[in-house]
Amino acid sequence: MLRVAFEGGEAARERLARALGDRVEPVAREGAEVVVLDAAGPREALAAVAAGFAAPTVLLVDDPHPDLTRAALAAGAAAVLARQSEARELLAALEAVAAGLVVLDGAARDAFGPRALPTGAASVDALTERERDVLAMLARGLSNRRIGERLAISENTVKAHVGAVLAKLGAATRTEAVATGIRLGLVML
């Protein structure tokens, strides 16, 4: 069970506790694995995030537009989500943040996508379906030989696909390609 501190108005705290039910344990800020901050407005939210919490912070806002999201991340938030997010989305975000990941609302995530590409890298859409398959297997730590066996292609063909993935994502190593793939939403962990 995830230990969560709820910061914000009493009504928001009660709504979140009801929505998440027995999947989280409400605790004081000091014992929390994640802090959920439901602030009244953007200024209050950014000020509270900037003040800092010991645990990673999930910020709930009315409109998680890209500018606010960018400012919140710069202030130290680990996630920015719409206040009206469904309970399952919020729970998934809490678990991801507790695991050290950054979570963005869909609208904000889409706005960040193209900027996340390294300079000179091709569009994400430029990856073929086979290259996406290879990237997913790279993320699982498979060798070229194992990838070839799973896809029923030669090791040399796998090497060609890996080279294409590296080039299209602007990565120098397999690890860098996987990290970029994760940032761009091409690889799910």
Side-chain angles (χ1 to χ4, degrees), residues 123-180:
S123 166
V124 173
D125 295 332
L127 286 181
T128 66
E129 184 176 341
R130 180 64 84 183
E131 290 164 351
R132 287 175 188 247
D133 293 340
V134 168
L135 178 61
M137 291 182 194
L138 290 175
R140 291 187 195 107
L142 297 179
S143 67
N144 288 348
R145 175 177 288 158
R146 294 286 179 239
I147 294 171
E149 289 170 0
R150 291 203 179 170
L151 296 177
I153 58 178
S154 74
E155 195 171 339
N156 286 335
T157 302
V158 173
K159 288 179 184 178
H161 287 308
V162 170
V165 168
L166 294 176
K168 289 179 180 181
L169 294 181
T173 66
R174 295 161 70 107
T175 303
E176 189 179 339
V178 169
T180 300

Side-chain angles (χ1 to χ4, degrees), residues 8-87:
E10 191 60 36
R13 183 177 300 140
E14 289 175 14
R15 179 182 61 83
L16 289 169
R18 271 194 319 273
L20 297 172
D22 61 352
R23 291 172 258 169
V24 300
E25 176 185 354
V27 297
R29 202 187 290 179
E30 296 75 29
E33 294 174 83
V34 177
V35 173
V36 176
L37 175 60
D38 190 342
R43 280 198 188 117
E44 294 84 0
L46 293 175
V49 170
F53 294 100
T57 305
V58 174
L59 179 60
L60 299 179
V61 296
D62 287 324
D63 179 18
H65 58 83
D67 292 336
L68 174 60
T69 298
R70 200 170 280 112
L73 293 175
V80 181
L81 299 171
R83 186 171 279 122
Q84 60 275 14
S85 295
E86 293 182 27

